[in-house]
Each structure stands twice: as C-alpha cells, then as structure tokens.
Amino acid sequence: MSNFGFTDLRLVNPYEVAFREARSAVGAGEVIGNAMEYTTLEEAVADCSLVIGTASLGHRELHHPLRRLEYGARLIRKHLASANAALLFGSEKYGLSNDDLSLCHWLLRIPTRAEHESMNLGQAVAVCLYELIRSPQAAKRDPKASKKAAARDLELLSGRLMETLLASGYINQRTAASTVQKVRRLVRRMDLNAQDADVWLGMLRQVLWKLRH
Amino acid sequence: MSNFGFTDLRLVNPYEVAFREARSAVGAGEVIGNAMEYTTLEEAVADCSLVIGTASLGHRELHHPLRRLEYGARLIRKHLASANAALLFGSEKYGLSNDDLSLCHWLLRIPTRAEHESMNLGQAVAVCLYELIRSPQAAKRDPKASKKAAARDLELLSGRLMETLLASGYINQRTAASTVQKVRRLVRRMDLNAQDADVWLGMLRQVLWKLRH
C-alpha cells in the first residue's frame, strides 16, 4: 500500500495478536500505524460510495459482474477522481463470504491462470494497487530513450573498423571492397546511442594506433 | 510465478537451509520443485538472449537505461514472442550488485512512490509478472457487461412504479402528472440490466396487488 501511495487501511476483526505485534514492530509504517479497526464490514465501508470485492472465477455462485483487473481498475480510477472507494480483500484461507460480497457493487478478479487462481494476500493487494496507479501513457513510449548515433558517426565508425580489420590482417586489400558493405551493416545493427558511438571511435583509434606502431 | 504461468525459476546461491525447506514443504508447487540452482549469475542466464535487472531510482550509479515497468514489459513481451529472457531480482536486503547489473541489457523499475521505493520481493515479482501477462485489450471494454434493460421494460417499470406510488398514497392523483417525468428519470438512473428490470417488475406487481387487496 505504501509503495503505491495508498494510506487508508481498514481491518475488520483482525486477529488481535498478529495485529498488535505488527503495529508495535520496529519499522511498522504509517499505514499500519494509522489502520482503523472495525467489528463489521458494514461500518468499515459506510463512507464509501463504491465497494469492490475481490474474487476468482472459481467462486461458485457469483451474483455480481466479475470484471478483470485491467478493466475494473479503470472504473475505480474514474470513481476515485471525485469520491472514495473500498477495495475488499478476504482472509487468505476463506476469501470474502457471500455476506461480504452482498455489500459490493461488483467484483474484481486478477487474471491468474485457471490452474492456480488463488493468490498470496500481500501479492494480490500489490498487483491490484499497481494496476490502479499504473500509467497507460508510460506504456506507450520510452521516456528514457537515449539519443541514437547520427549516420555521420556510424559511417565514421564503419571506416575506422575497416581500417582496424585491414591493419590487423583480418581482411586484406584485395577482398576489402566486398567487406565494406558487411561492416557497414554490422555497425548499423549495433543500434548505438551517440555516447557509445563516441566510445567505440575512441577505442578503435587507440587499437589502430597500436597496430600501426 | 505459478499464478501468472511462469515456470522457470533459477536461483543463484540460494540460502540452502531455506531452499531445502521450501522444496520439501507440503504443497511446494511445481515451480519450486523444478527450480534450478546455479553458483554464478553468468551460468544462470547463459541461454537467455535478453537479461533485465530490476532496480529503483534510488540506485546510485545506474549505467543502464532504466525503464518503467509499463513500457519495459512491452519490450520484454515482444522479445518473448521469439526468444527467452531472464528477469533478475536481487536479495531483499541488498538488491542486485553492480556486477549483476553489468550482465543486464537494461533495467526495469516498478513505479513505486519516491518516499517508499523498496518493495517486498514476492510482491515485486508478482507485479512484474502481472504486467507481463496483462492484456491491454481487456482494459478497453467490459467483456462481462450484462444486457441492459430495453426502453420498453424501463417504461413498463416506470408505469408500475407510478401505480404503486399512487396506490400507496405517496403521491396523489392531482399531483401525479408532475411526477411522471421524475419517476421516469429515477428509473433510467437505476441503469438496470434486463434481468434486474424483470425482478423489479415482479416485485412491484406483488406490492401493487397487496396494496389493492
């Protein structure tokens, strides 16, 4: 919850021993420190205008729309823009009861594979909250893409690599003509950024100098 | 891993006691049962044509492109269509070493908030693998949307609700005309599906019968 910026944890009848221990543990975060306790789910969600339960396909009698996380999170995000919502997780052993589910507007399921639907509670929470803060914009392009090397530098590098191969005897003058294009393509396939192209030019300059002296 | 259909777990120098216990535990899944052990990271990723490390913005000296999970997962998915890839997670305490990172093509980061970047290992794995199997198509529309009630049924329901309100004395014949539109709008705002509209019609029929007898 804290990783993804969610702060309002509400517990319904938590196991007292474990809860007291967690709260008093060294390094217990703000989320657990500020967690509220309730004796009924009705009270816990009383101020929420959207209540979403988590469930799996394996749940026998679902009387609610069951939405995949990818889509359901979109609806929750829209709602969160102007109001609050509760996301319910059941105990790891029993999940949410039918009584719990009857308080929900609809249900959310994480797209786990049919052969292994049931998830660890902490992991299920992490995945749901990640989807809520996930940015579709961020998925579209690489904001950190480094500047690619310009054609001029790639051509310079191809020439220097050719000289090096000649000086080292890897190719000889007679067959060099047929190799030029191969080396050019090889260099382009390296998909270098501007900085790495500079490094390669420097390395080959030194190698070439050493080969010739 | 098992939840999201990933089966190939490779461990580099796992803590032997914990690993042996996990492997022999009742209910240890296939993933842990088939996990391979290696003494160096080089061996563990030797057959992988893409090696991705996980890191956070807090990592001091990153010499790699650091991509947000939403975008990075797209690149990994593309690669996985025709080849294999390794996704590296460090120990929970120390993360990946600079030596580990130097074996990576690039790095991935989960978009946790700056004030709390470090994640629980199991949760970090769950979130990364969820993003890998996540379906952008599923995010676009509600595949489970139930059939909405037809205008005919909504008008039938509006009429029956009007009759019920009249029969119960909630409204009277003189003011009824001004209420018809309010009731119509109220019924449309219920956003009923076809089945619920039927249920409402049945409930009101019975209420009306009782009110009149």
Side-chain angles (χ1 to χ4, degrees):
Chain A
M1 286 183 64
S2 178
N3 285 134
F4 296 128
F6 295 83
T7 54
D8 192 3
L9 174 62
R10 302 182 180 187
L11 298 154
V12 178
N13 292 322
Y15 178 52
E16 274 306 327
V17 178
F19 182 51
R20 224 177 308 124
E21 269 177 22
R23 221 195 249 277
S24 60
V26 181
E30 262 181 70
V31 172
I32 190 93
N34 295 328
M36 299 286 289
E37 268 185 282
Y38 298 85
T39 51
T40 67
L41 181 57
E42 285 89 331
E43 293 169 81
V45 301
D47 63 341
C48 299
S49 47
L50 179 64
V51 179
I52 309 299
T54 46
S56 63
L57 287 173
H59 253 89
R60 287 295 159 216
E61 302 168 49
L62 287 176
H63 302 291
H64 285 80
L66 179 63
R67 293 178 166 129
R68 267 179 76 123
L69 178 57
E70 297 94 328
Y71 179 80
R74 269 186 54 196
L75 303 187
I76 298 173
R77 263 199 302 264
K78 267 187 216 168
H79 186 91
L80 286 175
S82 64
N84 55 6
L87 192 51
L88 311 188
F89 293 89
S91 78
E92 212 160 331
K93 247 187 199 156
Y94 308 108
L96 294 165
S97 69
N98 283 338
D99 213 42
D100 297 336
L101 294 179
S102 70
L103 293 170
C104 296
H105 289 91
W106 45 268
L107 307 179
L108 197 63
R109 81 172 184 90
I110 298 173
T112 47
R113 66 193 179 104
E115 297 77 16
H116 194 166
E117 284 203 308
S118 168
M119 274 189 83
N120 166 283
L121 177 59
Q123 293 176 15
V125 173
V127 165
C128 288
L129 299 186
Y130 165 71
E131 179 67 50
L132 281 175
I133 64 97
R134 184 183 181 280
S135 161
Q137 280 69 45
K140 281 175 196 148
R141 53 196 191 76
D142 194 350
K144 299 269 172 191
S146 49
K147 204 180 132 206
K148 292 285 176 199
R152 172 193 323 116
D153 296 326
L154 294 181
E155 192 48 28
L156 201 59
L157 179 55
S158 305
R160 200 162 292 172
L161 182 54
M162 271 301 290
E163 286 183 77
T164 310
L165 297 177
L166 279 165
S168 69
Y170 183 86
I171 51 179
N172 61 49
Q173 285 291 1
R174 275 183 305 162
T175 57
S178 70
T179 313
V180 170
Q181 292 189 353
K182 282 183 197 166
V183 166
R184 276 181 166 158
R185 287 196 301 267
L186 183 78
V187 166
R188 268 70 181 179
R189 284 198 300 271
M190 292 168 79
D191 196 26
L192 291 169
N193 66 37
Q195 209 178 343
D196 281 357
D198 265 357
V199 172
W200 271 104
L201 283 168
M203 292 194 304
L204 290 180
R205 184 189 305 116
Q206 177 62 27
V207 170
L208 207 48
W209 183 87
K210 193 69 182 174
L211 285 170
R212 285 171 177 168
H213 289 81
Chain B
M1 286 182 63
S2 178
N3 285 134
F4 295 128
F6 295 83
T7 54
D8 191 2
L9 174 62
R10 301 182 181 189
L11 298 153
V12 178
N13 292 323
Y15 178 51
E16 274 306 328
V17 179
F19 182 50
R20 223 177 310 124
E21 269 177 22
R23 221 195 248 276
S24 61
V26 181
E30 262 180 72
V31 172
I32 190 91
N34 295 329
M36 298 287 289
E37 268 185 282
Y38 298 85
T39 51
T40 67
L41 181 56
E42 285 89 330
E43 293 169 82
V45 300
D47 63 339
C48 299
S49 48
L50 179 64
V51 179
I52 310 299
T54 47
S56 62
L57 287 173
H59 253 89
R60 289 292 159 220
E61 303 169 48
L62 287 176
H63 302 291
H64 284 81
L66 179 62
R67 294 181 164 126
R68 267 180 74 125
L69 179 56
E70 296 95 327
Y71 180 78
R74 269 186 54 196
L75 302 187
I76 299 172
R77 261 198 304 265
K78 266 186 215 169
H79 186 91
L80 286 175
S82 64
N84 55 6
L87 192 51
L88 311 188
F89 293 88
S91 79
E92 210 160 334
K93 247 187 199 155
Y94 308 107
L96 294 166
S97 70
N98 283 338
D99 213 42
D100 298 335
L101 294 178
S102 71
L103 293 170
C104 296
H105 290 91
W106 46 267
L107 307 179
L108 197 64
R109 82 173 182 91
I110 299 174
T112 47
R113 65 193 180 103
E115 297 77 16
H116 194 165
E117 284 203 309
S118 168
M119 273 189 85
N120 166 282
L121 177 59
Q123 293 176 14
V125 173
V127 166
C128 288
L129 300 186
Y130 164 71
E131 179 66 51
L132 282 174
I133 64 98
R134 184 183 181 282
S135 162
Q137 279 68 45
K140 280 174 197 150
R141 52 193 193 77
D142 195 350
K144 298 269 173 191
S146 48
K147 205 181 130 208
K148 293 285 177 198
R152 174 194 319 118
D153 296 326
L154 294 180
E155 192 48 30
L156 200 59
L157 179 55
S158 304
R160 200 162 293 172
L161 182 53
M162 272 301 291
E163 286 183 77
T164 309
L165 297 178
L166 278 166
S168 69
Y170 182 86
I171 52 178
N172 61 50
Q173 284 292 0
R174 275 182 307 163
T175 58
S178 70
T179 315
V180 170
Q181 293 190 351
K182 282 184 198 167
V183 167
R184 275 181 165 160
R185 288 196 300 268
L186 182 79
V187 166
R188 266 72 181 179
R189 283 198 301 272
M190 290 168 80
D191 197 24
L192 291 170
N193 65 37
Q195 208 178 345
D196 282 358
D198 266 357
V199 172
W200 272 104
L201 283 169
M203 293 195 303
L204 291 180
R205 184 188 305 119
Q206 178 61 27
V207 170
L208 207 50
W209 183 88
K210 193 70 182 176
L211 286 171
R212 285 172 177 169
H213 290 80

